[in-house]
Amino acid sequence: MPVEDLIRSDRGPKGEDLSMKRFLLLCLLVLIAIGLRAELLIELDIETPIIRSDSFLNELPRKMNPGEPAVALKPVRILLPQGHLFQTAEITFGQEYRLSNIMIEHSQQPHVLSATNVSWVEAEQSIYRSNIPYPQKDLEILGVERKMGHDILVLNVYPYKYNPVARELIWSSLVSIRINTSFDERKA
């Protein structure tokens, strides 16, 4: 059989079916390409806020920038697949809930308890006079930590938003975080 006929044919020199081999080779290449990228989907249940005396009672850390509203946040740590590097993170919120007639106190400058000269920080007026929910960002990527040979992505999620002009607290009961990674042979 001439070489030109073998190239155009779906049969090899011994008569075997080459279309199946091509299909299997294509499938193998697709699986390798998929294995080099990973997408993680993390869903978080967000607890209903409990507000008393102008502050959160929930046992969550708060955003504590002096002069800014002390809004609760959700710290998140995600174990990355072995040999993968973090690329991007996207966040989506579920159903939105609102609490009206709420006042969230602003944070103060930290100080030593034994200090006698403690200064009071005033509320940041650019935030408290704004009709824009605070904080404006939904997600803060703090970095990737390495512990015992494993990479851990560290994030702060801001599911609670405070609108000081409307005196309204907005939050979602469900938050989805989509993490995209890529395979790095040097880390594997």
Side-chain angles (χ1 to χ4, degrees), residues 1-187:
M1 182 179 267
V3 174
E4 295 85 19
D5 291 341
L6 281 175
I7 293 172
R8 284 186 234 119
S9 165
D10 279 345
R11 300 265 177 224
K14 296 180 182 172
E16 69 270 15
D17 186 8
L18 292 181
S19 62
M20 182 55 91
K21 287 184 179 179
R22 286 182 189 143
F23 174 74
L24 291 174
L25 181 63
L26 180 63
C27 287
L28 180 63
L29 291 174
V30 168
L31 288 174
I32 289 171
I34 289 172
L36 297 179
R37 297 190 59 78
E39 184 176 279
L40 308 171
L41 181 63
I42 312 296
E43 291 189 345
L44 305 171
D45 289 323
I46 304 300
E47 59 188 277
T48 302
I50 302 169
I51 310 285
R52 298 264 193 288
S53 301
D54 301 339
S55 67
F56 280 83
L57 290 184
N58 301 64
E59 292 186 17
L60 288 172
R62 293 180 191 93
K63 187 168 175 66
M64 300 296 285
N65 295 343
E68 299 179 5
V71 177
L73 59 95
K74 179 85 171 172
V76 179
R77 297 170 60 88
I78 301 168
L79 179 65
L80 297 177
Q82 189 70 34
H84 282 247
L85 294 173
F86 167 72
Q87 295 296 318
T88 61
E90 303 166 20
I91 189 167
T92 55
F93 292 99
Q95 183 176 351
E96 198 173 84
Y97 297 95
R98 295 173 183 268
L99 279 176
S100 299
N101 203 21
I102 298 292
M103 177 66 182
I104 302 290
E105 191 173 62
H106 65 280
S107 300
Q108 291 297 317
Q109 184 71 35
H111 63 275
V112 178
L113 291 176
S114 62
T116 56
N117 188 12
V118 177
S119 61
W120 179 261
V121 176
E122 295 296 322
E124 182 64 50
Q125 294 305 311
S126 63
I127 295 172
Y128 277 89
R129 290 184 178 162
S130 172
N131 201 20
I132 299 170
Y134 175 86
Q136 292 181 0
K137 59 184 164 187
D138 299 325
L139 178 71
E140 182 178 19
I141 300 165
L142 300 176
V144 176
E145 295 178 353
R146 192 155 182 84
K147 184 171 184 178
M148 298 174 74
H150 299 283
D151 289 337
I152 301 167
L153 177 64
V154 182
L155 311 167
N156 278 342
V157 176
Y158 298 100
Y160 304 99
K161 306 288 182 182
Y162 175 59
N163 185 330
V165 170
R167 294 181 58 131
E168 187 174 58
L169 184 68
I170 306 156
W171 83 96
S172 296
S173 60
L174 181 71
V175 174
S176 297
I177 306 170
R178 186 175 307 277
I179 306 293
N180 294 305
T181 66
S182 63
F183 183 74
D184 184 2
E185 192 170 312
R186 292 171 291 166
K187 293 194 84 159

